[in-house]
Amino acid sequence: MPTSPPEPQPKPNGDYQTLVRDNYRRLSQALPGFIPRREQNYLVAEIGKVLLGRYDRARRILVAEAGTGIGKSLAYLQAGIPWARMHQKKLVISTATLALQEQLVDKDLPLFLPHCQPAFRFVLAKGRARYCCARRLEALARGEAQIGLFDTVQALSPNQQQQLAELWQAFMAGRWPGDRDSWPQPIAPALWQQLQAERHSCQPALGHQLCPFHLARAELEQADVIVVNHALLLADLSMGGGIVLPEPEQCLYILDEAHHIAPVAREQGSARLALRQSRRQLEQFSKWQGGLNKLLGPEGQSALGRLQQSLGQLIPALNGVYRQLFTALQRRELEPDAQGCLRFSPGDLPAGLDELLSVLKEDAQGFCRALGPLHSQLSEQLKLKPSQAATTEAALATLSQQQLHGEQLRDGAELLLRTTGPKQTPPARWLELAQHNKQEKQDKQELLLCATPLAVGHLLEQWCWSRAAAVVMVSATLTALNDFGYFRRAVGLRADDGSHYLRLNSPFDYQSARLIIPPLTCEPTDPDFDQMLVEQIPLWLKEQGASLVLFSSYRQMNQAAEALRAKGLSLLVQGEASRQALLQLHKMKCDGKQPSVLFGTGSFAEGLDLPGHYLTNLIITKLPFAVPTSPVEEAMAEWISLCGGNPFMQLAMPEASRKLIQACGRLLRTETDSGRIVLLDKRLLSRRYGPALLDALPPFTRELG
């Protein structure tokens, strides 16, 4: 629910700087033991200057790296909310992680709310799939569920039926607003799949008076501050903006954890065409669509004829692409790797595939056009014949689902065919075999055609940077090798485009923490490295209370865990229990004065918050260089080489630097924390690039072997 009562909209004739100072004064006086933070106040001031157009009136964009402990969330709330309210804009705060969203909604915004003028209301925006469909919930509760006319519905277990009854009763009594996250117990995935709201089955003609999703969207209209995740924000922006969230021109965007923006944007622009599955779905739909005769009557025959004709073109087109690829695989003209993946080089598709994809694109577009009139006629029937509502709804849901399917085929083919200019980065394109077996029969083997844009900066410029009222991007790790260049290129900014850059160091006493690189016998590329880890790790765990050991891969972590457990060590290993359960057990052991050792991979190197006595000993087994084995990483490295660049220096090094800083950031989480970091990778001392990686780290006290 949005917080605080509505009030008249303020006009931009007040003194913004006075408002910010007065809010700060009220906040500082109300908080017991409040300690001013110089870096936080400076960040507030710099955000304010960008918003007021002091650096560039036409392009109000700030990129700010703010180290851990600065209090960046409270800083951007202090600077952003008064400006947005005065200029009648929405403040949209986007994050990459659920933990930060919860911190903002449950802690930071309620903390600032009573001390802020103008007053504001805030709300958490979630994707449609986090809400139930009220009509589906009712139908399921009454035993009348119809998700679609040929969907397979899994039978509910007795426990799921009991949970369904509880959900329905709570929803009707107003005790549950219909979103998955607010229910006190986990909702079984099999049950939620049948309950969740979906775009293709949502029918505006039925009204949204009780729809949890649309009620939540109505709250967005009244809110001044909207908290959202990067995926939902970029999905909305990719569709032009204003679909779920306000239009970019009406928004001040705060993009926290901004180092995730480019990867999420890349994901939004990706395509995966499962050729065999798509063909089967269309064949099934072709058999079913004759059932529309009874619903539409004589007036629908013309539109049905056009639909049947379009299916008669699209299914053979899809089958043609499948046969071309399958035959090339059988003849070994195409050779996938051990994982069943084959990447196409930039500009090259297998012979004849581009013509077949062009036909597929046109036929998929024709299929989408043919569905439109049928959808309109069924929507009209829904109003005129309410007695047939259940059947008509199911038919509409099926048509809408096929519309989405057709759009995915069309857009996927377009991305695979996309040509680029001499200075433009081509997409990564590859073929995947879902079951990598060259002897698999044609009607069993699934083939997936995949494409991902490598460069998304131009998309972000088009979607957001050029349209937004203002943008503030913040993170603890935006620089790589002490420079913003890597991040700037990834998100499509230029050094001379008017964007402002700011780097603020953490207030923590890094000198109190030790960075140790012990004398080591081998490097990670040596065959004896895994055995060396088994020997070294126990030495650095000895007499330590709270330890975190970070590995570069699950294989290496599990292998080390097995060997060390054989030596009698007690370990908490990622993947053997949920993250939450592991951390709870770790904290219980630490609180009980027992030694505790956490083993984790890269996901534990970011967002893990273990302050004080919960972490005093951090061991990093290997520099976080990405191995270019994924098609996207391979394609990016190849393109850099083709352009005369050095993939290692332009791609691998900056990314490793950023990840290493993040990993080291797990140790000090408060101003009173201390401890040590042990790096078991001698390349920091033996390779030419080592000093650059070391110098990009915070100023720990170094002990170099």
Side-chain angles (χ1 to χ4, degrees):
M1 294 288 290
T3 56
S4 97
E7 64 169 41
Q9 287 279 352
K11 292 184 172 57
N13 57 2
D15 187 341
Y16 166 73
Q17 292 168 307
T18 299
L19 278 176
V20 172
R21 283 194 295 267
D22 288 347
N23 289 342
Y24 175 79
R25 176 178 50 78
R26 284 188 291 270
L27 181 67
S28 61
Q29 291 174 353
L31 297 181
F34 178 85
I35 300 175
R37 297 180 180 180
R38 183 182 63 180
E39 294 86 356
Q40 185 184 65
N41 292 339
Y42 190 75
L43 180 57
V44 173
E46 288 299 295
I47 295 174
K49 289 179 183 178
V50 169
L51 296 179
L52 292 171
R54 299 282 174 81
Y55 293 110
D56 192 309
R57 297 191 66 83
R59 192 172 175 90
R60 303 175 196 223
I61 296 179
L62 172 66
V63 178
E65 181 178 84
T68 306
I70 285 177
K72 53 185 175 292
S73 56
L74 202 53
Y76 58 63
L77 295 181
Q78 290 183 72
I81 292 175
W83 186 88
R85 295 286 283 126
M86 290 178 67
H87 292 79
Q88 300 183 31
K89 306 295 183 185
K90 300 280 190 179
L91 177 63
V92 177
I93 306 173
S94 183
T95 78
T97 61
L98 179 61
L100 183 51
Q101 288 181 41
E102 291 175 344
Q103 175 189 317
L104 285 162
V105 171
D106 298 335
K107 179 183 174 185
D108 295 337
L109 284 161
L111 175 68
F112 187 51
L113 180 63
H115 313 296
C116 179
Q117 289 297 328
F120 65 92
R121 292 161 293 189
F122 66 88
V123 69
L124 174 64
K126 292 181 282 191
R128 192 189 300 260
R130 304 307 296 177
Y131 297 92
C132 78
C133 170
R135 297 183 68 83
R136 283 188 175 185
L137 176 61
E138 180 180 8
L140 271 172
R142 298 180 187 278
E144 304 168 353
Q146 268 192 304
I147 293 178
L149 291 191
F150 60 81
D151 285 330
T152 300
V153 180
Q154 183 178 348
L156 299 178
S157 68
N159 287 340
Q160 292 167 358
Q161 291 174 354
Q162 175 62 31
Q163 189 174 49
L164 172 64
E166 294 171 357
L167 291 169
W168 171 242
Q169 291 166 10
F171 182 73
M172 291 305 295
R175 299 192 308 271
W176 179 53
D179 68 299
R180 188 174 188 177
D181 305 297
S182 66
W183 190 252
Q185 291 86 33
I187 299 177
L191 172 58
W192 189 256
Q193 183 181 6
Q194 298 186 44
L195 286 178
Q196 70 184 22
E198 295 177 332
R199 179 167 69 93
H200 66 258
S201 62
C202 185
Q203 302 303 326
L206 300 175
H208 296 134
Q209 292 83 354
L210 292 177
C211 172
F213 172 73
H214 285 90
L215 288 173
R217 287 298 169 262
E219 291 183 356
L220 294 184
E221 299 285 334
Q222 304 301 319
D224 306 299
V225 179
I226 301 170
V227 180
V228 68
N229 64 34
H230 291 341
L232 180 56
L233 171 65
L234 288 167
D236 190 74
L237 289 173
S238 69
M239 293 185 287
I243 309 300
V244 173
L245 302 170
E247 294 181 348
E249 290 80 2
Q250 302 305 315
C251 293
L252 158 58
Y253 292 110
I254 305 287
L255 307 183
D256 206 339
E257 301 176 315
H259 57 280
H260 287 287
I261 285 293
V264 175
R266 191 175 295 123
E267 205 171 289
Q268 288 292 331
S270 299
R272 288 174 65 86
L273 304 184
L275 300 176
R276 179 172 173 269
Q277 180 184 347
S278 293
R279 184 188 67 197
R280 290 183 62 191
Q281 285 182 359
L282 289 170
E283 288 171 346
Q284 195 173 13
F285 176 64
S286 181
K287 294 176 183 177
W288 165 85
Q289 57 92 28
L292 287 173
N293 283 320
K294 295 180 182 179
L295 284 174
L296 293 173
E299 61 270 21
Q301 296 309 302
S302 175
L304 277 172
R306 288 192 294 272
L307 176 62
Q308 189 61 46
Q309 183 181 3
S310 70
L311 279 167
Q313 295 171 329
L314 179 56
I315 293 173
L318 195 56
N319 202 39
V321 175
Y322 183 96
R323 285 200 312 270
Q324 174 82 4
L325 291 168
F326 187 85
T327 301
L329 288 166
Q330 292 290 87
R331 294 175 178 173
R332 300 200 174 184
E333 296 168 1
L334 298 177
E335 285 284 348
D337 61 20
Q339 286 72 44
C341 180
L342 172 68
R343 186 176 60 84
F344 307 131
S345 297
D348 293 331
L349 287 172
L353 187 58
D354 49 354
E355 291 90 348
L356 292 170
L357 285 172
S358 295
V359 173
L360 176 63
K361 175 186 169 183
E362 293 302 319
D363 289 343
Q365 178 62 28
F367 175 62
C368 292
R369 284 196 298 265
L371 288 168
L374 290 168
H375 198 285
S376 300
Q377 290 179 33
L378 282 175
S379 296
E380 191 64 26
Q381 290 279 7
L382 196 61
K383 300 175 189 175
L384 298 175
K385 299 179 180 179
S387 61
Q388 299 180 6
T391 305
T392 307
E393 272 186 74
L396 278 166
T398 299
L399 288 184
S400 298
Q401 198 169 29
Q402 292 304 312
Q403 180 81 27
L404 179 63
H405 185 200
E407 291 169 359
Q408 289 171 341
L409 289 172
R410 178 199 64 200
D411 296 344
E414 192 278 329
L415 183 58
L416 285 158
L417 288 166
R418 185 171 299 168
T419 57
T420 53
K423 295 184 179 181
Q424 295 177 311
T425 310
R429 301 174 296 181
W430 68 96
L431 174 68
E432 286 183 14
L433 279 66
Q435 298 172 335
H436 183 43
N437 183 347
K438 295 178 183 177
Q439 303 306 314
E440 196 77 65
K441 293 181 180 179
Q442 180 168 346
D443 62 346
K444 299 291 185 182
Q445 175 72 69
E446 178 62 281
L447 303 179
L448 295 97
L449 273 175
C450 310
T452 294
L454 298 179
V456 295
H458 66 289
L459 296 176
L460 291 169
E461 175 69 31
Q462 173 188 334
W463 295 346
C464 188
W465 311 153
S466 63
R467 297 179 58 192
V471 181
V472 177
M473 288 175 263
V474 294
S475 173
T477 49
L478 289 179
T479 60
L481 302 171
N482 292 308
D483 187 74
F484 281 106
Y486 180 68
F487 175 78
R488 185 167 57 233
R489 289 190 295 273
V491 299
L493 300 178
R494 302 190 317 274
D496 60 350
D497 66 5
S499 302
H500 186 58
Y501 296 84
L502 174 67
R503 192 179 186 191
L504 295 172
N505 294 324
S506 169
F508 294 168
D509 180 15
Y510 285 102
Q511 294 287 334
S512 67
R514 294 183 295 154
L515 175 65
I516 302 170
I517 305 177
L520 300 168
T521 56
C522 60
E523 295 184 352
T525 53
D526 295 334
D528 296 331
F529 181 74
D530 289 347
Q531 180 57 37
M532 186 204 74
L533 288 182
V534 173
E535 296 168 358
Q536 282 285 329
I537 290 172
L539 300 177
W540 299 103
L541 293 177
K542 191 176 180 180
E543 298 179 357
Q544 295 297 311
S547 300
L548 170 64
V549 186
L550 294 174
F551 293 85
S552 60
S553 69
Y554 274 98
R555 179 203 62 79
Q556 193 177 69
M557 177 184 70
N558 292 329
Q559 185 174 312
E562 182 181 358
L564 293 175
R565 280 171 169 162
K567 294 184 175 185
L569 272 70
S570 174
L571 307 172
L572 302 173
V573 181
Q574 180 183 1
E576 295 183 354
S578 71
R579 178 175 171 135
Q580 182 181 7
L582 285 174
L583 295 180
Q584 284 179 345
L585 185 54
H586 173 76
K587 291 179 178 180
M588 285 175 57
K589 294 177 72 174
C590 293
D591 290 339
K593 309 293 184 184
Q594 301 177 46
S596 183
V597 181
L598 275 170
F599 271 25
T601 60
S603 61
F604 272 42
E606 180 179 0
L608 196 65
D609 193 23
L610 295 171
H613 69 290
Y614 295 126
L615 181 59
T616 55
N617 185 42
L618 173 63
I619 300 174
I620 300 172
T621 59
K622 185 180 175 183
L623 291 175
F625 284 114
V627 180
T629 54
S630 82
V632 175
E633 291 168 336
E634 284 182 347
M636 182 63 81
E638 182 178 20
W639 180 249
I640 291 173
S641 297
L642 289 173
C643 294
N646 183 327
F648 181 76
M649 296 305 296
Q650 292 175 239
L651 193 63
M653 271 284 285
E655 191 64 15
S657 173
R658 185 184 65 79
K659 289 181 177 179
L660 183 60
I661 294 169
Q662 280 183 334
C664 291
R666 297 314 97 208
L667 182 65
L668 303 184
R669 307 303 298 172
T670 73
E671 295 178 359
T672 58
D673 287 356
S674 61
R676 72 183 187 189
I677 301 170
V678 182
L679 269 162
L680 299 178
D681 193 332
K682 67 180 296 186
R683 290 178 296 179
L684 280 166
L685 303 179
S686 63
R687 298 298 179 94
R688 233 184 317 179
Y689 56 74
L693 290 173
L694 278 172
D695 291 343
L697 294 174
F700 301 110
T701 297
R702 297 180 185 178
E703 298 179 14
L704 308 181

